[in-house]
């Protein structure tokens, strides 16, 4: 249930403001009685309401009287104050993240090795998006089987979001797929990729008739390998993420000549 406390008032301040709205101009003593705020606290509460710009006082009268501002005006003022507070908190959190990013920057050992696996479409997508978001320098994405279309099609929104963000931070993105993968994608999916990514100079997509496997090479040191379903090779089953500089270097050596011998993808103009 919505409450004035959600907008920053204390319980006593909320009681006093509601009581003032009902009573009209009134003294602190009378307000203490009608709002059930203790007399020993009522002046602090009224000072708080004045700071929130929810009450006006008539200092010339003896005893001093107070009146509440109209609810629509008062609520707008509380909302503005809460928005300023949240904006300040967001800036503080952003500064904290920036500081911690430098403090927590992990440096993997040169010959270090680590792998993890995800099984199932949702888990596979989460792992792939996470690793795309972690890229600093390069993303070389290879789709050699129609199964690669699973992520490119059904999860195109999240994948494109990740690639677009990577391109914006200067990551070199190369997408190499077979014509079969392209043929299995709806035209709107291809157009989405082209419309959102093709304007970036650090993005390119090419096709090649024969490509072995489906994988993503990240920063030249990490590889996400798609594992096909053994019962149906056209379906993706799982993904393995392997951080191994030596293995990633081998993958890079295989990728480069295939990329150089591939053809740029031609996307027909949108109607």
């Amino acid at each position: 249930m919505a409450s004035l406390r959600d907008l920053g008032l204390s319980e006593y301040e909320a009681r006093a403001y509601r009581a003032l709205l009902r009573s009209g101009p009134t003294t602190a003593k009378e307000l203490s009685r009608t709002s059930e705020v203790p007399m020993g606290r009522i002046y602090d509460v009224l000072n708080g309401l004045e700071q929130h710009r929810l009450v006006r006082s008539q200092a010339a009268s003896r005893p001093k009287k107070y009146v509440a501002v109209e609810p629509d005006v008062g609520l707008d003022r509380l909302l503005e104050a809460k928005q300023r507070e949240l904006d300040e908190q967001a800036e503080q959190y952003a500064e904290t993240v920036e500081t911690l990013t430098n403090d927590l920057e992990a440096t993997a050992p040169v010959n270090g090795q680590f792998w993890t696996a995800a099984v199932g479409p949702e888990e596979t997508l989460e792992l792939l998006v996470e690793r795309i978001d972690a890229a600093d320098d390069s993303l070389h994405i290879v789709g050699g089987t129609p199964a690669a279309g699973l992520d490119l099609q059904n999860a195109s929104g999240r994948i494109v979001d990740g690639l677009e963000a990577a391109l914006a931070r200067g990551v070199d993105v190369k997408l190499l797929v077979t014509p079969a993968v392209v043929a299995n994608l709806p035209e709107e999916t291809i157009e989405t990729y082209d419309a959102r990514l093709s304007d970036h100079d650090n993005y390119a997509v090419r096709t090649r008739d024969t490509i072995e496997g489906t994988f993503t090479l990240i920063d030249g040191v990490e590889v996400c390998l798609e594992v096909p379903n053994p019962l149906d090779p056209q379906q993706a089953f799982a993904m393995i993420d392997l951080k191994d500089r030596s293995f990633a270097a081998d993958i890079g050596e295989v990728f480069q000549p295939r990329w150089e011998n591939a053809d740029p993808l031609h996307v027909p103009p949108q109607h």
Side-chain angles (χ1 to χ4, degrees):
M1 181 178 176
S3 165
L4 287 170
R5 299 185 66 180
D6 296 331
L7 294 175
L9 297 191
S10 70
E11 177 62 31
Y12 281 168
E13 287 171 342
R15 284 193 206 170
Y17 181 61
R18 289 179 181 276
L20 274 173
L21 288 172
R22 293 192 299 268
S23 67
T26 190
T27 64
K29 182 177 181 180
E30 182 62 20
L31 180 62
S32 172
R33 184 186 67 80
T34 57
S35 65
E36 298 183 351
V37 173
M39 191 63 198
R41 294 293 312 281
I42 194 64
Y43 287 105
D44 288 338
V45 169
L46 284 168
N47 285 337
L49 290 175
E50 285 185 320
Q51 290 176 5
H52 286 296
R53 298 186 300 159
L54 295 181
V55 301
R56 292 180 288 112
S57 60
Q58 187 180 27
S61 63
R62 291 290 183 270
K64 187 176 182 179
K65 288 187 177 182
Y66 300 85
V67 65
V69 301
E70 292 76 3
D72 54 345
V73 175
L75 292 174
D76 283 345
R77 288 174 176 175
L78 288 176
L79 178 59
E80 289 172 4
K82 181 60 68 173
Q83 287 174 332
R84 285 194 301 270
E85 178 186 333
L86 293 175
D87 288 343
E88 291 172 0
Q89 288 181 354
E91 290 179 5
Q92 292 173 358
Y93 287 136
E95 292 173 0
T96 299
V97 168
E98 184 176 353
T99 300
L100 289 175
T101 297
N102 296 326
D103 291 345
L104 300 177
E105 190 68 36
T107 302
V110 174
N111 295 318
Q113 187 182 90
F114 181 82
W115 71 273
T116 187
V119 178
E122 290 295 327
E123 293 78 5
T124 294
L125 175 61
E126 287 296 330
L127 179 57
L128 181 59
V129 170
E130 175 194 302
R131 303 324 300 152
I132 288 175
D133 289 344
D136 291 319
D137 301 311
S138 62
L139 283 166
H140 297 167
I141 304 170
V142 176
T145 65
L150 174 69
D151 287 331
L152 296 175
Q153 177 180 342
N154 296 336
S156 61
R158 293 190 61 188
I159 297 296
V160 172
D161 287 345
L163 293 179
E164 193 171 35
L167 290 166
R169 62 179 183 269
V171 176
D172 178 47
V173 177
K174 293 179 179 177
L175 178 58
L176 179 62
V177 294
T178 63
V181 168
V182 176
N184 275 270
L185 290 173
E187 184 177 341
E188 59 268 23
T189 299
I190 298 174
E191 290 177 350
T192 296
Y193 271 70
D194 184 67
R196 293 181 57 184
L197 307 180
S198 62
D199 287 342
H200 294 270
D201 293 336
N202 47 334
Y203 171 77
V205 55
R206 297 182 182 181
T207 63
R208 193 172 188 272
D209 289 333
T210 56
I211 301 175
E212 298 78 20
T214 294
F215 61 86
T216 300
L217 178 62
I218 304 159
D219 294 340
V221 298
E222 180 179 357
V223 183
C224 283
L225 294 166
E226 187 176 277
V227 181
N229 189 330
L231 301 178
D232 184 358
Q234 302 303 307
Q235 294 292 324
F237 175 71
M239 180 168 288
I240 296 174
D241 176 63
L242 177 63
K243 216 170 210 183
D244 185 317
R245 290 179 181 270
S246 177
F247 178 70
D250 291 341
I251 292 291
E253 290 179 3
V254 170
F255 170 83
Q256 192 57 36
R258 286 163 173 72
W259 175 260
E260 292 173 355
N261 294 321
D263 299 316
L265 174 66
H266 174 68
V267 178
Q270 299 183 31
H271 301 294

